[in-house]
Amino acid sequence: MEAQPYLHQHVTCLRAPTTWLSTADGQVRHRADGLYVADRRVLSRLEVRVDGREPEPLRGGPAGADSATFIAGLPWLGDRRTPDLTVWCERARHARGDGGTETIVLRNTSRDAVEADLTVTVAADLLAISAVKAGADADPVPPTPRPGGLTWSTPDGLRVELAATPAATPTVADGVATLRWPVTLAPGGVFEARLTVTATAPATPGFRPVPPASPAPWHAAPLQVRADDPRLDLLIATSVADLDALLLADPADPADTYPAAGSPWYLTLFGRDAIWTALLGLPLGPELAGGTLRTLARRQGSRLDPTTEEAPGKIPHELRPTDAAVWLPPVYYGTIDATPLFVVLLAAAWRWGLPTDEVAALVPAAERALDWLATHGDPDGDGFIEYVPTGAGLTNQGWKDSHDGIQHADGRIATPPLALAEVQAYAYRAARDGADLLDAFGRLGGERWRAWADNLAERFRSTFWLRDEDDPYPAVALEAGKSLVDGPASNMGHLLGTGLLTAEEEAAVARRLAGPALSSGYGLRTLADTAKGFNPLSYHAGSVWPHDTAIALLGLVRAGHPGVARGLLDGLLAAAAAYGYRLPELYGGQPAGGTGPVPYPASCRPQAWAAAVGPALVRALLGLEVDVPAGRVTLRPMAPSPVGAYEVRGIRLGTAGTLAVRVDAAGQVVDVQAPPGLHVDQETLATA
């Protein structure tokens, strides 16, 4: 199998559905490099030369979520009387929803006039992003020169226009275009050339995301933190900016926004990813949850289709336009967890202040999702939610959806059908939350679903637990034949705080998560390093996923185990610092130390649920629980504070208003500013 292109050394500029990718020198020419718009690579080459030579890179990197700068020297030009650089090249790159701009500046600080020849070489292979991910390559598509620029087009309706300012007459050879500017710079002089690329998406059918019609709801007054530990401030600022840049809109109603799963491979709607991002990102407000829920509800399953794995009430896994889909159907339902999580998100958004009429409109979709739990979600009727793959889709359909994502301790791959431990916890929570929604909105069935949840908890307790030399722990899954899959995995962290486990069982899971087999020092390993199949640089069998650790961290806080949570929080902050506060999708599960966590080289960055870790940490630090319909906010800050004294502003509670909290280094709340009508309960969650 061809290895997918590595991304860990790339500089990314993102404004969904657009991504710029290059290495730190700014040149666009390698395997994954390019400007991508709506899942097509609209520029595959953009190289700057001066006098036929490449500038000498000095520094390059992000200048915000959607921008980057690159500075390089031109040592063959300028003042020969000094060894210092006196002429250099600056590049400023910016991503827009329909393309991007590149501004190239030559700057002369020497005492002499400088003459130079600036050229930019551009090409476009117009490949689908899925083909690039698969390692494909293609010859450039010949452009059509026009005054001041170039145009590319395809039979399916993709059109790309490049405009150069000042105008430059392009030459084209073998599909590659060259733009040239003769430059004369007086002492202290500056020359600027600007390239603007605009792409019109192809007219192929299917779900094609569009840019949001307006900025993110939190854009004008974002979540902000000021802490003694500045790593938290920087992580929050980067997380909020990246989530803003990842926003996409439903083409059926552009007012409804949702988070794209990740750049560059997954700039579309993934049910599970979008739901978890909205859940972890609730401190930004419930609007993202509302848009996500409505976008998914419009595509909720209504029939049985073994090819797409659609079923009545089921929430889809992935949607793509037909030109971007490869081996999965353009609309694909192969996910076991998005459906219960849909109900959990709706209840959480309601409690965080999503307007009552918006919640009411979505309750019927939640009822259909609950019905799926007791029918198609439990195909053999044993009371557990499980998946039986059909068609040619995913073999594993939980969040660890790689082929070896679910393993035994001895390295054997689990055999479907699989009932995942965390999915039972999601289903339990969905039934309880769904019952509350049904009661609150005058629907029947609440008591039925509470009884269903209680029965599920009892079945889980009597079936899933096992023991090794360390402690009892829940199996990661039941496989074919109903045997336990015993690979100790991070999945058990998702059970905490859901209500599925007793306090004693939660304590056993907390001890397991705190141990060195699962805790790497930078977060939780997806599979314990004691398992035979452990590989720290695998996708799901030993790597660390920040969102996975954050879910466990929140559960530990809810379950009353802040000491273990504190260790995970420290690890995530250390990892964030190593990645410039833009956490990747995943990284290596090697023990902490040295120069930081080892990159997983094909990881998306930014990635939505990794970006949502920032807001989630705020919620964990504060022990924040919100119930706007009941008029109550609860604060149980970790004590002492893992980040010293801190202040949080801009926690958005829907139309109720915003919450601000100040906490001292001991973990005591010293000031709260809450919206009118909300009572704030304060406790201390001691870590001793």
Side-chain angles (χ1 to χ4, degrees):
M1 179 182 293
E2 180 77 22
Q4 59 183 306
Y6 288 173
L7 302 172
H8 63 292
Q9 294 181 328
H10 279 69
V11 176
T12 299
C13 303
L14 173 70
R15 180 60 57 186
T18 294
T19 295
W20 272 104
L21 286 178
S22 78
T23 46
D25 62 359
Q27 303 285 49
V28 174
R29 57 186 170 197
H30 298 293
R31 290 180 65 199
D33 292 1
L35 173 61
Y36 299 83
V37 180
D39 284 335
R40 296 289 280 271
R41 182 157 64 180
V42 300
L43 281 186
S44 53
R45 186 174 174 187
L46 193 158
E47 296 179 74
V48 173
R49 288 181 172 79
V50 178
D51 297 336
R53 301 169 65 174
E54 292 198 35
E56 296 285 347
L58 299 174
R59 185 171 184 176
D66 58 7
S67 303
T69 58
F70 307 92
I71 299 176
L74 306 174
W76 59 90
L77 295 175
D79 196 337
R80 301 298 183 183
R81 292 162 289 194
T82 173
D84 297 336
L85 276 172
T86 57
V87 184
W88 60 86
C89 175
E90 301 171 0
R91 298 168 69 173
R93 182 172 295 161
H94 182 72
R96 304 187 322 269
D98 63 350
T101 59
E102 178 104 356
T103 302
I104 304 158
V105 175
L106 302 186
R107 195 177 301 275
N108 178 21
T109 64
S110 74
R111 302 175 188 273
D112 303 316
V114 169
E115 291 189 355
D117 183 52
L118 171 64
T119 59
V120 178
T121 303
V122 293
D125 58 19
L126 306 183
L127 278 176
I129 186 95
S130 51
V132 179
K133 185 176 186 288
D137 199 1
D139 293 331
V141 175
T144 301
R146 57 183 178 81
L150 301 159
T151 300
W152 293 264
S153 59
T154 62
D156 65 2
L158 174 65
R159 182 177 176 85
V160 183
E161 296 183 353
L162 183 150
T165 307
T169 301
T171 60
V172 179
D174 298 325
V176 178
T178 301
L179 303 162
R180 174 171 282 106
W181 295 267
V183 177
T184 300
L185 293 174
V190 174
F191 174 82
E192 179 178 303
R194 183 182 179 90
L195 305 178
T196 300
V197 181
T198 305
T200 302
T204 50
F207 180 86
R208 189 175 297 281
V210 297
S214 58
W218 61 81
H219 187 81
L223 179 71
Q224 292 183 311
V225 177
R226 295 290 179 268
D228 288 346
D229 187 338
R231 297 178 302 173
L232 181 64
D233 309 18
L234 293 166
L235 175 59
I236 297 302
T238 304
S239 294
V240 171
D242 281 344
L243 287 169
D244 195 344
L246 281 161
L247 283 186
L248 286 171
D250 186 347
D253 187 345
D256 285 336
T257 58
Y258 60 89
S263 171
W265 313 128
Y266 306 122
L267 287 180
T268 188
L269 177 62
F270 280 71
R272 175 194 308 117
D273 299 57
I275 291 171
W276 266 123
T277 301
L279 280 166
L280 295 172
L282 278 169
L284 300 177
E287 295 89 350
L288 182 59
T292 297
L293 289 162
R294 285 188 291 272
T295 302
L296 290 170
R298 289 187 185 103
R299 292 143 182 104
Q300 189 173 25
S302 60
R303 62 194 179 97
L304 288 172
D305 184 340
T307 301
T308 65
E309 307 201 37
E310 180 181 356
K314 196 174 186 183
I315 297 300
H317 170 62
E318 176 183 354
L319 294 98
R320 293 210 186 246
T322 55
D323 64 299
V326 182
W327 67 282
L328 289 177
V331 180
Y332 178 61
Y333 288 81
T335 166
I336 192 64
D337 46 11
T339 306
L341 287 171
F342 179 93
V343 182
V344 173
L345 178 59
L346 178 58
W350 170 53
R351 294 187 176 107
W352 275 74
L354 190 67
T356 302
D357 60 336
E358 296 185 32
V359 179
L362 287 161
V363 169
E367 288 183 294
R368 292 192 292 272
L370 289 170
D371 288 341
W372 176 87
L373 290 178
T375 55
H376 302 289
D378 180 16
D380 62 2
D382 69 344
F384 293 120
I385 309 304
E386 61 190 342
Y387 54 89
V388 184
T390 62
L394 295 168
T395 301
N396 281 322
Q397 297 185 359
W399 83 264
K400 294 179 180 176
D401 56 6
S402 52
H403 77 284
D404 60 352
I406 307 300
Q407 299 188 21
H408 289 267
D410 63 8
R412 288 177 294 127
I413 306 300
T415 303
L418 292 175
L420 299 171
E422 75 273 18
V423 173
Q424 314 316 310
Y426 305 158
Y428 174 90
R429 191 68 263 158
R432 303 289 300 189
D433 287 343
D436 291 345
L437 285 167
L438 294 175
D439 290 351
F441 288 87
R443 317 283 281 211
L444 300 177
E447 287 309 309
R448 171 203 171 194
W449 286 109
R450 289 187 184 93
W452 187 92
D454 291 342
N455 290 334
L456 174 60
E458 288 302 317
R459 287 192 299 275
F460 186 92
R461 187 162 295 116
S462 63
T463 306
F464 267 78
W465 283 85
L466 46 79
R467 177 184 292 273
D468 61 11
E469 64 274 10
D470 294 327
D471 229 346
Y473 67 99
V476 66
L478 299 180
E479 66 174 340
K482 307 301 177 183
S483 58
L484 295 173
V485 183
D486 61 353
S490 63
N491 303 54
M492 68 180 77
H494 294 221
L495 279 55
L496 296 170
T498 63
L500 181 71
L501 306 182
T502 66
E504 181 180 5
E505 290 166 342
E506 288 185 319
V509 171
R511 288 192 297 272
R512 180 71 59 154
L513 298 183
L518 279 172
S519 182
S520 74
Y522 292 125
L524 291 174
R525 298 183 177 100
T526 43
L527 181 68
D529 67 1
T530 53
K532 295 293 185 184
F534 170 74
N535 174 2
L537 286 176
S538 65
Y539 201 51
H540 289 127
S543 57
V544 173
W545 289 63
H547 89 282
D548 180 39
T549 297
I551 291 168
L553 197 159
L554 285 167
L556 286 162
V557 169
R558 293 193 198 101
H561 297 279
V564 183
R566 180 185 186 121
L568 296 181
L569 188 148
D570 288 342
L572 287 173
L573 288 178
Y579 287 106
Y581 302 97
R582 176 178 268 182
L583 280 167
E585 177 186 13
L586 70 155
Y587 42 82
Q590 291 88 345
T595 57
V598 177
Y600 181 86
S603 181
C604 287
R605 182 166 169 259
Q607 202 252 10
W609 56 17
V613 166
L617 293 189
V618 168
R619 189 174 177 188
L621 280 166
L622 291 171
L624 175 61
E625 298 295 338
V626 175
D627 194 340
V628 170
R632 184 174 61 253
V633 172
T634 302
L635 295 171
R636 288 202 305 160
M638 294 186 192
S641 165
V643 294
Y646 60 96
E647 180 179 9
V648 184
R649 293 192 170 276
I651 300 173
R652 301 179 66 255
L653 307 179
T655 56
T658 60
L659 177 71
V661 184
R662 190 154 51 91
V663 178
D664 64 19
Q668 301 296 317
V669 176
V670 296
D671 185 52
V672 178
Q673 299 174 32
L678 290 183
H679 175 73
V680 180
D681 295 324
Q682 299 180 38
E683 304 174 35
T684 298
L685 189 59
T687 59

